[in-house]
Amino acid sequence: MNKTRSWVTMLGMASIFASPVLEAVAQPNTVTSTMNVTCKANTSVPKVVASFANQENARDLTILSFLSQYFSSPEALKNCENTAKTLQKLYTSGRANYLTNDKLNTQPVVCAVERRGIGCSHYSAQVLFTFNEKVNASQALYEMLGSDFKQPNPPDSRTVSRIYSDIKLSKKKKLIPFLPF
């Protein structure tokens, strides 16, 4: 009986100690109050940029550049504006975690997802834009990513079908390949 009582006591204590941690994890991302995602179209290449206005180290981070080898000028501008709006909404709700590439109905796409391992067909994914059917979406996404959001070497197109780029705007940025099973 003492063993049962001590086990129940430990479980109760664990839940008391864990509750502040769970509460902190469940709260929305506080970075969004000082961050604004916009499309900067004043250069030859439209860019989705995250701007930090109220922090000591105020700076802009380029998330994506809409390169001319993948989009016509009007298409690049439209995709940039739509992507910036969607990402701003996702950051505000704390759901902007990763960018990934996928194929939907044979169409290469880039989408925002909440966690690694899910694709653009997942119910929570937000498709941001599409490519021409002949485009290698993994390579294109890697080339379009800002330097703060990609690893030094491009993904191997022979072995990597999908990449995940961490866009949580934390200090550490990484690109994680997804290898099919």
Side-chain angles (χ1 to χ4, degrees):
M1 188 93 148
N2 276 344
K3 287 182 183 180
T4 305
R5 218 180 271 166
S6 63
W7 177 249
V8 171
T9 303
M10 285 189 333
L11 284 176
M13 293 302 288
S15 65
I16 289 170
F17 290 123
S19 63
V21 173
L22 293 174
E23 185 177 326
V25 171
Q27 290 182 1
N29 187 354
T30 57
V31 172
T32 57
S33 63
T34 61
M35 193 259 318
N36 190 30
V37 179
T38 57
C39 174
K40 301 285 183 186
N42 55 354
T43 63
S44 60
V45 178
K47 297 176 182 182
V48 175
V49 175
S51 303
F52 300 88
N54 299 332
Q55 293 181 354
E56 290 178 19
N57 299 328
R59 69 179 187 141
D60 290 347
L61 290 176
T62 299
I63 299 173
L64 288 167
S65 297
F66 286 86
L67 306 172
S68 60
Q69 65 259 38
Y70 300 115
F71 306 100
S72 66
S73 290
E75 191 179 41
L77 181 58
K78 178 183 171 193
N79 285 333
C80 181
E81 290 171 347
N82 291 339
T83 297
K85 286 177 190 173
T86 302
L87 287 178
Q88 180 65 53
K89 288 178 187 173
L90 291 171
Y91 277 119
T92 301
S93 67
R95 293 178 41 220
N97 294 326
Y98 298 93
L99 291 182
T100 191
N101 61 284
D102 205 351
K103 279 198 174 192
L104 295 177
N105 299 324
T106 71
Q107 190 77 34
V109 299
V110 169
C111 66
V113 295
E114 292 184 62
R115 66 181 192 278
R116 294 176 293 191
I118 62 174
C120 296
S121 62
H122 191 267
Y123 71 90
S124 67
Q126 293 285 314
V127 175
L128 300 173
F129 53 89
T130 62
F131 292 110
N132 178 306
E133 288 182 11
K134 296 177 183 175
V135 170
N136 177 331
S138 293
Q139 184 67 33
L141 176 56
Y142 178 82
E143 290 174 5
M144 292 173 64
L145 286 168
S147 60
D148 291 307
F149 298 94
K150 63 180 165 184
Q151 67 186 25
N153 298 316
D156 184 345
S157 61
R158 293 174 288 147
T159 59
V160 177
S161 64
R162 186 182 305 151
I163 62 173
Y164 290 90
S165 179
D166 182 348
I167 59 166
K168 289 182 279 200
L169 298 176
S170 61
K171 292 180 182 178
K172 185 177 180 184
K173 302 289 181 256
K174 56 188 170 185
L175 192 69
I176 301 165
F178 173 76
L179 302 174
F181 291 57

